[in-house]
Amino acid sequence: MPTFTAPDGTRLAYHLRGAGDPLVVLPGGPMRASAYLGDLGGLGRHRRLVLPDLRGTGESEVPADPASYRCDRLVDDVEALRRELGLERMDLLGHSAGGSLAMLYAARYPDRVARLVLVTVTPRALGLPATADDRLAAARLRADEPWFERAFPVFEAWLAGERDFDDALVPFFYGRWDATAAAHAAREETETNEEAADVYGSEGAYDPPATRAALARLTAPVLVLAGELDGGPTPALARRAAAVLPHARCVVQPGAGHYPWLDDPQWFTDRVTAFLAAGSLAGR
């Protein structure tokens, strides 16, 4: 397992999967170890995936300063990884909360990004959070599922702040709730640094006007990929995020939730590899 040293001396780990040109993949959670990404539905057959464990997660060290878990401060770690890999410019993919980190990196280091892929990213860095109404509208699309009748009232109460998160809600985050999805979800608690997650998007992490202004000058092509059944982001919110980026295109994966590579690996890998090969996407 290769490691490198962050600017503040924290020892950070990354994992390599697959073969081909490197693709740096920033995990979400926030602050979930990169193991949950697997090989992104077979994307490792086309690209060499570079999967960092963000500080305090997975095999990476816990930093001396807990404030360094904040999303904007993690940009320095991403830049240190680029230097470690010896890449002049890199293809970068961010999933979920990792997409905010990817956007902040692209805003600060636009010349270091060759192509950017944002997978089911709630664009908080752009000042576009998913709302409770967004999540409820997406949840209602699952009304025919056998677990819906029990789960939906709990989901409403959770979004209203009237009760804690319940395991009954987990199926809403997957387009296909099966044994593979259940096993994937079961690992989340042990793979996530909850203390770090609380800091990740804390006050000062995001400056949407500054980020929007910086990304308006980004010349790299961008693919924004949303899941049809995802509530954070909904396809509509993903399209709003893509509209901020001058060379972005949004695609919506049918029947997919927040982890689209699990729902239809072939659809997911075909679109992402086509974009990375050409910098644009033929068809939607």
Side-chain angles (χ1 to χ4, degrees):
M1 178 194 61
T3 62
F4 65 103
T5 303
D8 67 352
T10 305
R11 200 73 179 155
L12 304 177
Y14 62 98
H15 306 267
L16 299 172
R17 294 191 179 94
D21 293 334
L23 172 64
V24 175
V25 181
L26 302 180
M31 302 307 283
R32 186 172 178 180
S34 65
Y36 84 94
L37 295 161
D39 72 344
L40 286 174
L43 192 58
R45 292 194 295 271
H46 307 276
R47 300 294 295 259
R48 187 164 180 78
L49 305 181
V50 181
L51 303 159
D53 286 334
L54 302 181
R55 54 179 53 218
T57 72
E59 302 297 329
S60 289
E61 283 185 349
V62 172
D65 179 9
S68 67
Y69 290 132
R70 210 173 68 178
C71 185
D72 59 321
R73 295 185 61 176
L74 295 175
V75 170
D76 291 335
D77 293 351
V78 180
E79 174 62 3
L81 175 58
R82 182 195 66 80
R83 292 175 179 272
E84 169 71 17
L85 297 170
L87 299 173
E88 183 68 20
R89 301 171 75 221
M90 62 181 175
D91 289 339
L92 186 62
L93 183 151
H95 171 246
S96 189
S100 285
L101 177 55
M103 285 189 280
L104 292 187
Y105 179 85
R108 194 181 304 176
Y109 296 102
D111 295 337
R112 299 303 187 185
V113 178
R115 299 174 187 84
L116 177 61
V117 182
L118 301 173
V119 176
T120 58
V121 170
T122 302
R124 299 181 190 278
L126 302 177
L128 296 172
T131 67
D133 286 344
D134 286 340
R135 295 189 182 278
L136 288 172
R140 290 188 182 98
L141 298 175
R142 318 301 296 278
D144 292 337
E145 301 277 3
W147 43 264
F148 178 85
E149 186 174 352
R150 171 176 176 262
F152 187 74
V154 181
F155 197 56
E156 286 184 299
W158 173 64
L159 289 171
E162 297 169 357
R163 63 178 299 167
D164 293 335
F165 191 86
D166 187 290
D167 287 346
L169 308 183
V170 175
F172 284 117
F173 296 88
Y174 293 83
R176 184 174 60 191
W177 185 243
D178 55 14
T180 297
H184 184 266
R187 300 195 305 270
E188 181 174 8
E189 185 174 354
T190 59
E191 291 176 344
T192 302
N193 181 332
E194 294 292 350
E195 177 192 1
D198 288 342
V199 177
Y200 187 86
S202 59
E203 185 176 358
Y206 307 128
D207 182 349
T211 301
R212 284 169 171 262
L215 290 177
R217 299 188 292 271
L218 183 68
T219 59
V222 182
L223 173 65
V224 179
L225 190 150
E228 179 187 20
L229 303 178
D230 194 11
T234 60
L237 183 58
R239 292 187 183 100
R240 289 177 63 195
V244 174
L245 303 160
H247 303 287
R249 195 163 180 194
C250 182
V251 296
V252 178
Q253 181 169 327
H258 200 60
Y259 307 93
W261 63 91
L262 295 178
D263 296 319
D264 188 340
Q266 193 66 55
W267 197 102
F268 177 82
T269 57
D270 283 352
R271 270 56 179 191
V272 175
T273 54
F275 169 77
L276 292 172
S280 61
L281 197 64
R284 286 181 177 258

